[in-house]
Amino acid sequence: MTSRSWRERWRATVTRSRAWFQGVAHDPKRRRRALTLVAILLLAYPVLGTLALWTGFVEWVIRDEDVKVEISNPAWTIWPGRIHLKSVKIYVNGDTQFILEGHDLFTSISVIELFEHRIHVSRLASHHVRYQMRTQVKDPTASAKRIAAYPKLEGLPGVNTVKEDVAAKTETQEEEWTVQVEGLKIDVVELWFFEYRYLGEGHLRGGFTVGPHVMQVDTAVQEIGPGELRFGETEPLARGLRGQVDCDIPRTDPNEHADASFLELVSARLNLKADVVSLTNVGAYVPDLQVTRGAGPLAFDLYMVK
């Protein structure tokens, strides 16, 4: 049985169970049965839940054409939805594509929503976190320099392509996943959004939502640095980067902005100091403009509204 057919049967079971529980309040006999069933499930959950994590059953249930989860042991859970993991990597393909990796992770997640193609995390604490994200584009030639600087996202499920037309021809179109993360309290070592890659220390608070035709970021990065900002994988823009960044991206459809700078969506305050290495990234946004210099110390307190 495939994970997809298993999820379909599970959804049908959940629907029937909800109908049965709706009559609990008016039926004393059914109420006693429901209380007994809940007690048994809660007593058995720590063993069954931990076995599901250790054996890879959870990974198998979640995995499909567009999402893959890799969990490293030891991993355990005592209460439904509250999970402790040594390390985890989440791969999501589709219109919005990303890889999220964390170590010594504690999370509180909605189990039921997993069967509705939603990963809803209400609390996430971890360290040594890496997050790399991009979106598919309709016309790669329109912003070739930017797209060349996007993260490669090796290991994505399905076809690893940034081109919408290629994905449409080669991938089986299934219901896409929506990932909503709230209550972030993590220490990062890498943040790679579109063409900009930060490598270094940082403390991240807030949350984000990504999914089919939706992206939202509500995040504060505090005491960032020391670190390095790059354009793409290797081209340095600034070193010794340190300071504080508050950033918000309102709920929006990323596909409507995939071929333009995502900065037009961002409201932020940046209080930063850095040693600028180069401003060559400017040429990626202005045709026929080439910037060859721009190195030197930089300090600023900047408010940016879209």
Tab-separated table of all heavy atoms in Angstrom, residues 135-189:
chain	number	residue	atom	x	y	z
A	135	THR	N	11.521	29.777	-5.171
A	135	THR	CA	10.265	29.454	-5.836
A	135	THR	C	10.548	29.111	-7.290
A	135	THR	O	11.560	29.535	-7.863
A	135	THR	CB	9.280	30.639	-5.793
A	135	THR	OG1	9.863	31.766	-6.456
A	135	THR	CG2	8.939	31.017	-4.365
A	136	GLN	N	9.642	28.347	-7.898
A	136	GLN	CA	9.732	28.092	-9.324
A	136	GLN	C	9.372	29.361	-10.102
A	136	GLN	O	8.633	30.202	-9.619
A	136	GLN	CB	8.800	26.951	-9.725
A	136	GLN	CG	9.212	25.604	-9.164
A	136	GLN	CD	8.288	24.482	-9.589
A	136	GLN	OE1	7.223	24.722	-10.145
A	136	GLN	NE2	8.692	23.249	-9.329
A	137	VAL	N	9.931	29.488	-11.307
A	137	VAL	CA	9.714	30.689	-12.113
A	137	VAL	C	9.198	30.300	-13.493
A	137	VAL	O	9.450	29.198	-13.984
A	137	VAL	CB	11.008	31.517	-12.258
A	137	VAL	CG1	11.477	32.018	-10.907
A	137	VAL	CG2	12.095	30.695	-12.934
A	138	LYS	N	8.471	31.214	-14.119
A	138	LYS	CA	7.917	30.968	-15.439
A	138	LYS	C	8.950	31.202	-16.535
A	138	LYS	O	9.023	30.464	-17.510
A	138	LYS	CB	6.702	31.868	-15.672
A	138	LYS	CG	5.533	31.573	-14.748
A	138	LYS	CD	4.367	32.520	-15.023
A	138	LYS	CE	3.200	32.208	-14.093
A	138	LYS	NZ	2.057	33.138	-14.317
A	139	ASP	N	9.751	32.269	-16.395
A	139	ASP	CA	10.701	32.645	-17.440
A	139	ASP	C	12.090	32.801	-16.832
A	139	ASP	O	12.449	33.898	-16.379
A	139	ASP	CB	10.263	33.944	-18.106
A	139	ASP	CG	11.185	34.345	-19.249
A	139	ASP	OD1	12.043	33.521	-19.630
A	139	ASP	OD2	11.040	35.476	-19.749
A	140	PRO	N	12.899	31.747	-16.811
A	140	PRO	CA	14.231	31.832	-16.201
A	140	PRO	C	15.152	32.826	-16.887
A	140	PRO	O	16.068	33.358	-16.264
A	140	PRO	CB	14.774	30.395	-16.334
A	140	PRO	CG	13.568	29.541	-16.534
A	140	PRO	CD	12.596	30.395	-17.271
A	141	THR	N	14.934	33.114	-18.166
A	141	THR	CA	15.826	34.031	-18.864
A	141	THR	C	15.625	35.471	-18.420
A	141	THR	O	16.509	36.316	-18.596
A	141	THR	CB	15.591	33.933	-20.385
A	141	THR	OG1	14.229	34.297	-20.680
A	141	THR	CG2	15.845	32.513	-20.875
A	142	ALA	N	14.468	35.781	-17.843
A	142	ALA	CA	14.178	37.157	-17.436
A	142	ALA	C	15.022	37.592	-16.243
A	142	ALA	O	15.260	38.781	-16.057
A	142	ALA	CB	12.693	37.308	-17.114
A	143	SER	N	15.459	36.663	-15.437
A	143	SER	CA	16.279	36.988	-14.266
A	143	SER	C	17.332	35.906	-14.079
A	143	SER	O	17.455	35.317	-13.011
A	143	SER	CB	15.408	37.111	-13.019
A	143	SER	OG	14.576	35.960	-12.890
A	144	ALA	N	18.090	35.660	-15.128
A	144	ALA	CA	19.034	34.546	-15.146
A	144	ALA	C	20.089	34.668	-14.050
A	144	ALA	O	20.463	33.671	-13.424
A	144	ALA	CB	19.697	34.450	-16.514
A	145	LYS	N	20.594	35.886	-13.783
A	145	LYS	CA	21.629	36.053	-12.763
A	145	LYS	C	21.101	35.718	-11.375
A	145	LYS	O	21.794	35.106	-10.573
A	145	LYS	CB	22.163	37.483	-12.801
A	145	LYS	CG	22.961	37.812	-14.057
A	145	LYS	CD	23.527	39.227	-13.985
A	145	LYS	CE	24.339	39.556	-15.237
A	145	LYS	NZ	24.877	40.946	-15.188
A	146	ARG	N	19.875	36.130	-11.102
A	146	ARG	CA	19.287	35.829	-9.798
A	146	ARG	C	19.056	34.331	-9.646
A	146	ARG	O	19.375	33.741	-8.614
A	146	ARG	CB	17.968	36.570	-9.623
A	146	ARG	CG	18.088	38.077	-9.491
A	146	ARG	CD	16.728	38.691	-9.198
A	146	ARG	NE	16.128	38.119	-8.010
A	146	ARG	CZ	14.929	37.543	-7.981
A	146	ARG	NH1	14.204	37.440	-9.081
A	146	ARG	NH2	14.456	37.057	-6.853
A	147	ILE	N	18.498	33.720	-10.658
A	147	ILE	CA	18.163	32.298	-10.564
A	147	ILE	C	19.413	31.446	-10.443
A	147	ILE	O	19.424	30.432	-9.747
A	147	ILE	CB	17.323	31.881	-11.787
A	147	ILE	CG1	15.965	32.599	-11.727
A	147	ILE	CG2	17.120	30.376	-11.830
A	147	ILE	CD1	15.141	32.442	-12.964
A	148	ALA	N	20.484	31.868	-11.105
A	148	ALA	CA	21.745	31.137	-10.981
A	148	ALA	C	22.266	31.174	-9.547
A	148	ALA	O	23.054	30.312	-9.145
A	148	ALA	CB	22.776	31.719	-11.939
A	149	ALA	N	21.840	32.181	-8.776
A	149	ALA	CA	22.282	32.308	-7.388
A	149	ALA	C	21.346	31.631	-6.402
A	149	ALA	O	21.615	31.623	-5.198
A	149	ALA	CB	22.422	33.786	-7.033
A	150	TYR	N	20.242	31.068	-6.870
A	150	TYR	CA	19.307	30.369	-5.982
A	150	TYR	C	19.967	29.130	-5.377
A	150	TYR	O	20.871	28.536	-5.971
A	150	TYR	CB	18.066	29.925	-6.761
A	150	TYR	CG	17.038	31.005	-7.022
A	150	TYR	CD1	17.286	32.335	-6.737
A	150	TYR	CD2	15.798	30.682	-7.559
A	150	TYR	CE1	16.338	33.312	-6.971
A	150	TYR	CE2	14.841	31.663	-7.814
A	150	TYR	CZ	15.116	32.970	-7.513
A	150	TYR	OH	14.178	33.938	-7.762
A	151	PRO	N	19.515	28.672	-4.217
A	151	PRO	CA	20.037	27.417	-3.648
A	151	PRO	C	19.702	26.229	-4.548
A	151	PRO	O	18.641	26.191	-5.176
A	151	PRO	CB	19.312	27.314	-2.301
A	151	PRO	CG	18.107	28.177	-2.434
A	151	PRO	CD	18.490	29.292	-3.346
A	152	LYS	N	20.608	25.260	-4.602
A	152	LYS	CA	20.424	24.097	-5.480
A	152	LYS	C	19.406	23.108	-4.913
A	152	LYS	O	18.782	22.357	-5.656
A	152	LYS	CB	21.766	23.378	-5.687
A	152	LYS	CG	22.883	24.292	-6.158
A	152	LYS	CD	22.525	25.038	-7.428
A	152	LYS	CE	23.671	25.957	-7.853
A	152	LYS	NZ	23.305	26.823	-9.001
A	153	LEU	N	19.263	23.072	-3.601
A	153	LEU	CA	18.286	22.202	-2.927
A	153	LEU	C	18.449	20.742	-3.335
A	153	LEU	O	17.507	20.077	-3.767
A	153	LEU	CB	16.852	22.678	-3.204
A	153	LEU	CG	16.521	24.112	-2.772
A	153	LEU	CD1	15.036	24.398	-2.974
A	153	LEU	CD2	16.914	24.368	-1.339
A	154	GLU	N	19.669	20.238	-3.196
A	154	GLU	CA	19.944	18.832	-3.508
A	154	GLU	C	19.136	17.918	-2.587
A	154	GLU	O	19.037	18.147	-1.388
A	154	GLU	CB	21.433	18.537	-3.343
A	154	GLU	CG	22.340	19.372	-4.234
A	154	GLU	CD	22.173	19.035	-5.709
A	154	GLU	OE1	21.620	17.959	-6.013
A	154	GLU	OE2	22.609	19.839	-6.557
A	155	GLY	N	18.549	16.882	-3.172
A	155	GLY	CA	17.782	15.914	-2.400
A	155	GLY	C	16.296	16.147	-2.394
A	155	GLY	O	15.552	15.398	-1.745
A	156	LEU	N	15.817	17.173	-3.114
A	156	LEU	CA	14.377	17.401	-3.179
A	156	LEU	C	13.660	16.177	-3.742
A	156	LEU	O	14.152	15.535	-4.672
A	156	LEU	CB	14.062	18.598	-4.077
A	156	LEU	CG	14.153	20.019	-3.515
A	156	LEU	CD1	13.624	20.997	-4.544
A	156	LEU	CD2	13.409	20.162	-2.206
A	157	PRO	N	12.495	15.837	-3.223
A	157	PRO	CA	11.705	14.763	-3.829
A	157	PRO	C	11.181	15.211	-5.190
A	157	PRO	O	11.054	16.405	-5.465
A	157	PRO	CB	10.569	14.561	-2.834
A	157	PRO	CG	10.432	15.876	-2.148
A	157	PRO	CD	11.823	16.444	-2.068
A	158	GLY	N	10.870	14.261	-6.047
A	158	GLY	CA	10.385	14.606	-7.381
A	158	GLY	C	11.498	15.155	-8.239
A	158	GLY	O	12.678	14.848	-8.054
A	159	VAL	N	11.149	16.000	-9.186
A	159	VAL	CA	12.113	16.593	-10.114
A	159	VAL	C	12.612	17.910	-9.542
A	159	VAL	O	11.828	18.800	-9.225
A	159	VAL	CB	11.467	16.823	-11.496
A	159	VAL	CG1	12.453	17.509	-12.432
A	159	VAL	CG2	11.026	15.485	-12.083
A	160	ASN	N	13.930	18.023	-9.404
A	160	ASN	CA	14.535	19.218	-8.849
A	160	ASN	C	14.732	20.245	-9.964
A	160	ASN	O	15.750	20.270	-10.647
A	160	ASN	CB	15.878	18.878	-8.200
A	160	ASN	CG	16.447	20.036	-7.401
A	160	ASN	OD1	16.071	21.183	-7.587
A	160	ASN	ND2	17.371	19.722	-6.513
A	161	THR	N	13.748	21.088	-10.166
A	161	THR	CA	13.815	22.104	-11.211
A	161	THR	C	13.188	23.395	-10.720
A	161	THR	O	12.222	23.373	-9.957
A	161	THR	CB	13.114	21.653	-12.504
A	161	THR	OG1	13.180	22.709	-13.479
A	161	THR	CG2	11.664	21.290	-12.246
A	162	VAL	N	13.743	24.516	-11.171
A	162	VAL	CA	13.187	25.814	-10.830
A	162	VAL	C	12.231	26.305	-11.910
A	162	VAL	O	11.563	27.316	-11.737
A	162	VAL	CB	14.334	26.834	-10.610
A	162	VAL	CG1	14.951	27.250	-11.934
A	162	VAL	CG2	13.843	28.047	-9.834
A	163	LYS	N	12.132	25.571	-13.010
A	163	LYS	CA	11.299	25.984	-14.139
A	163	LYS	C	9.905	25.382	-14.016
A	163	LYS	O	9.745	24.166	-13.919
A	163	LYS	CB	11.937	25.546	-15.457
A	163	LYS	CG	13.344	26.094	-15.677
A	163	LYS	CD	13.944	25.557	-16.965
A	163	LYS	CE	15.375	26.039	-17.159
A	163	LYS	NZ	15.974	25.493	-18.408
A	164	GLU	N	8.887	26.220	-14.049
A	164	GLU	CA	7.514	25.748	-13.912
A	164	GLU	C	7.113	24.807	-15.037
A	164	GLU	O	6.441	23.797	-14.803
A	164	GLU	CB	6.545	26.938	-13.879
A	164	GLU	CG	6.542	27.697	-12.572
A	164	GLU	CD	5.451	28.744	-12.535
A	164	GLU	OE1	4.704	28.860	-13.527
A	164	GLU	OE2	5.330	29.435	-11.518
A	165	ASP	N	7.497	25.129	-16.283
A	165	ASP	CA	7.060	24.300	-17.402
A	165	ASP	C	7.690	22.921	-17.366
A	165	ASP	O	7.056	21.923	-17.718
A	165	ASP	CB	7.363	24.993	-18.737
A	165	ASP	CG	8.841	25.354	-18.888
A	165	ASP	OD1	9.581	25.294	-17.887
A	165	ASP	OD2	9.258	25.692	-20.019
A	166	VAL	N	8.944	22.827	-16.924
A	166	VAL	CA	9.602	21.525	-16.795
A	166	VAL	C	8.924	20.695	-15.719
A	166	VAL	O	8.664	19.499	-15.891
A	166	VAL	CB	11.101	21.700	-16.476
A	166	VAL	CG1	11.746	20.343	-16.190
A	166	VAL	CG2	11.815	22.389	-17.633
A	167	ALA	N	8.623	21.317	-14.582
A	167	ALA	CA	7.958	20.600	-13.495
A	167	ALA	C	6.595	20.086	-13.930
A	167	ALA	O	6.189	18.966	-13.590
A	167	ALA	CB	7.827	21.510	-12.283
A	168	ALA	N	5.862	20.888	-14.686
A	168	ALA	CA	4.517	20.491	-15.117
A	168	ALA	C	4.559	19.278	-16.035
A	168	ALA	O	3.653	18.440	-16.025
A	168	ALA	CB	3.832	21.659	-15.827
A	169	LYS	N	5.618	19.140	-16.831
A	169	LYS	CA	5.711	18.031	-17.781
A	169	LYS	C	6.212	16.746	-17.134
A	169	LYS	O	5.887	15.655	-17.592
A	169	LYS	CB	6.659	18.416	-18.922
A	169	LYS	CG	6.143	19.532	-19.818
A	169	LYS	CD	7.178	19.881	-20.880
A	169	LYS	CE	6.688	21.034	-21.764
A	169	LYS	NZ	7.696	21.426	-22.774
A	170	THR	N	6.998	16.858	-16.090
A	170	THR	CA	7.684	15.680	-15.562
A	170	THR	C	7.159	15.195	-14.227
A	170	THR	O	7.393	14.051	-13.853
A	170	THR	CB	9.189	15.965	-15.413
A	170	THR	OG1	9.363	17.111	-14.559
A	170	THR	CG2	9.816	16.261	-16.765
A	171	GLU	N	6.455	16.042	-13.476
A	171	GLU	CA	6.013	15.652	-12.151
A	171	GLU	C	4.536	15.270	-12.144
A	171	GLU	O	3.726	15.861	-12.840
A	171	GLU	CB	6.216	16.803	-11.156
A	171	GLU	CG	7.677	17.148	-10.925
A	171	GLU	CD	7.837	18.258	-9.910
A	171	GLU	OE1	6.804	18.754	-9.421
A	171	GLU	OE2	8.973	18.622	-9.610
A	172	THR	N	4.219	14.273	-11.355
A	172	THR	CA	2.826	13.933	-11.112
A	172	THR	C	2.216	15.004	-10.223
A	172	THR	O	2.705	15.273	-9.122
A	172	THR	CB	2.713	12.559	-10.416
A	172	THR	OG1	3.333	11.576	-11.245
A	172	THR	CG2	1.261	12.212	-10.191
A	173	GLN	N	1.171	15.633	-10.698
A	173	GLN	CA	0.573	16.723	-9.949
A	173	GLN	C	-0.305	16.180	-8.831
A	173	GLN	O	-1.325	15.553	-9.065
A	173	GLN	CB	-0.253	17.619	-10.894
A	173	GLN	CG	0.581	18.293	-11.973
A	173	GLN	CD	1.655	19.184	-11.382
A	173	GLN	OE1	1.378	20.036	-10.534
A	173	GLN	NE2	2.889	18.995	-11.819
A	174	GLU	N	0.123	16.403	-7.599
A	174	GLU	CA	-0.626	15.994	-6.434
A	174	GLU	C	-0.923	17.225	-5.581
A	174	GLU	O	-0.412	18.316	-5.827
A	174	GLU	CB	0.170	14.972	-5.614
A	174	GLU	CG	0.447	13.667	-6.355
A	174	GLU	CD	1.180	12.668	-5.479
A	174	GLU	OE1	1.528	13.035	-4.331
A	174	GLU	OE2	1.385	11.542	-5.927
A	175	GLU	N	-1.755	17.014	-4.604
A	175	GLU	CA	-2.051	18.105	-3.681
A	175	GLU	C	-0.770	18.545	-2.988
A	175	GLU	O	-0.035	17.729	-2.430
A	175	GLU	CB	-3.069	17.629	-2.638
A	175	GLU	CG	-3.490	18.705	-1.653
A	175	GLU	CD	-4.451	18.160	-0.613
A	175	GLU	OE1	-4.871	16.986	-0.751
A	175	GLU	OE2	-4.774	18.909	0.332
A	176	GLU	N	-0.472	19.845	-3.032
A	176	GLU	CA	0.761	20.347	-2.461
A	176	GLU	C	0.615	20.554	-0.950
A	176	GLU	O	-0.480	20.667	-0.418
A	176	GLU	CB	1.165	21.664	-3.131
A	176	GLU	CG	1.534	21.493	-4.598
A	176	GLU	CD	2.087	22.785	-5.174
A	176	GLU	OE1	2.692	23.577	-4.414
A	176	GLU	OE2	1.917	23.003	-6.374
A	177	TRP	N	1.769	20.612	-0.287
A	177	TRP	CA	1.795	20.771	1.159
A	177	TRP	C	1.883	22.238	1.540
A	177	TRP	O	2.546	23.036	0.876
A	177	TRP	CB	2.994	20.034	1.750
A	177	TRP	CG	2.835	18.549	1.758
A	177	TRP	CD1	2.928	17.703	0.692
A	177	TRP	CD2	2.542	17.735	2.885
A	177	TRP	NE1	2.711	16.412	1.083
A	177	TRP	CE2	2.484	16.391	2.427
A	177	TRP	CE3	2.335	17.998	4.244
A	177	TRP	CZ2	2.228	15.335	3.285
A	177	TRP	CZ3	2.087	16.930	5.092
A	177	TRP	CH2	2.025	15.617	4.607
A	178	THR	N	1.221	22.581	2.623
A	178	THR	CA	1.372	23.886	3.249
A	178	THR	C	2.091	23.689	4.579
A	178	THR	O	1.719	22.820	5.361
A	178	THR	CB	0.005	24.554	3.497
A	178	THR	OG1	-0.642	24.778	2.242
A	178	THR	CG2	0.174	25.876	4.226
A	179	VAL	N	3.140	24.476	4.791
A	179	VAL	CA	3.928	24.374	6.016
A	179	VAL	C	3.797	25.677	6.791
A	179	VAL	O	4.126	26.750	6.284
A	179	VAL	CB	5.404	24.082	5.711
A	179	VAL	CG1	6.205	24.002	7.006
A	179	VAL	CG2	5.537	22.788	4.923
A	180	GLN	N	3.270	25.595	8.005
A	180	GLN	CA	3.117	26.758	8.864
A	180	GLN	C	3.884	26.512	10.157
A	180	GLN	O	3.631	25.536	10.866
A	180	GLN	CB	1.648	27.028	9.172
A	180	GLN	CG	1.407	28.247	10.062
A	180	GLN	CD	-0.058	28.498	10.338
A	180	GLN	OE1	-0.924	27.770	9.861
A	180	GLN	NE2	-0.344	29.525	11.123
A	181	VAL	N	4.832	27.387	10.449
A	181	VAL	CA	5.665	27.248	11.641
A	181	VAL	C	5.515	28.509	12.486
A	181	VAL	O	5.709	29.628	11.995
A	181	VAL	CB	7.144	27.023	11.272
A	181	VAL	CG1	7.985	26.898	12.541
A	181	VAL	CG2	7.293	25.770	10.414
A	182	GLU	N	5.159	28.324	13.751
A	182	GLU	CA	5.004	29.421	14.696
A	182	GLU	C	5.888	29.143	15.911
A	182	GLU	O	6.367	28.029	16.098
A	182	GLU	CB	3.545	29.551	15.138
A	182	GLU	CG	2.563	29.732	13.999
A	182	GLU	CD	1.126	29.533	14.432
A	182	GLU	OE1	0.838	28.513	15.106
A	182	GLU	OE2	0.304	30.391	14.105
A	183	GLY	N	6.076	30.141	16.731
A	183	GLY	CA	6.820	29.949	17.974
A	183	GLY	C	8.254	29.512	17.769
A	183	GLY	O	8.775	28.679	18.524
A	184	LEU	N	8.928	30.085	16.771
A	184	LEU	CA	10.317	29.730	16.511
A	184	LEU	C	11.225	30.229	17.637
A	184	LEU	O	11.123	31.370	18.086
A	184	LEU	CB	10.782	30.343	15.194
A	184	LEU	CG	10.354	29.656	13.900
A	184	LEU	CD1	10.778	30.509	12.713
A	184	LEU	CD2	10.947	28.275	13.784
A	185	LYS	N	12.124	29.373	18.046
A	185	LYS	CA	13.168	29.753	18.993
A	185	LYS	C	14.391	28.920	18.652
A	185	LYS	O	14.656	27.883	19.254
A	185	LYS	CB	12.716	29.518	20.434
A	185	LYS	CG	13.683	30.077	21.476
A	185	LYS	CD	13.162	29.871	22.882
A	185	LYS	CE	14.136	30.445	23.906
A	185	LYS	NZ	13.643	30.240	25.303
A	186	ILE	N	15.132	29.382	17.656
A	186	ILE	CA	16.198	28.552	17.108
A	186	ILE	C	17.471	29.362	16.907
A	186	ILE	O	17.445	30.588	16.759
A	186	ILE	CB	15.778	27.902	15.772
A	186	ILE	CG1	15.465	28.977	14.732
A	186	ILE	CG2	14.591	26.986	15.972
A	186	ILE	CD1	15.088	28.398	13.381
A	187	ASP	N	18.579	28.636	16.901
A	187	ASP	CA	19.879	29.212	16.581
A	187	ASP	C	20.257	28.744	15.180
A	187	ASP	O	20.287	27.535	14.907
A	187	ASP	CB	20.932	28.761	17.585
A	187	ASP	CG	20.610	29.231	18.995
A	187	ASP	OD1	20.021	30.316	19.127
A	187	ASP	OD2	20.934	28.505	19.953
A	188	VAL	N	20.550	29.684	14.301
A	188	VAL	CA	20.794	29.349	12.901
A	188	VAL	C	22.281	29.406	12.578
A	188	VAL	O	23.063	30.094	13.254
A	188	VAL	CB	20.036	30.301	11.952
A	188	VAL	CG1	18.547	30.269	12.248
A	188	VAL	CG2	20.572	31.726	12.063
A	189	VAL	N	22.660	28.674	11.525
A	189	VAL	CA	23.997	28.766	10.950
A	189	VAL	C	23.929	29.126	9.469
A	189	VAL	O	24.939	29.490	8.884
A	189	VAL	CB	24.781	27.449	11.134
A	189	VAL	CG1	25.047	27.179	12.600
A	189	VAL	CG2	24.039	26.274	10.500
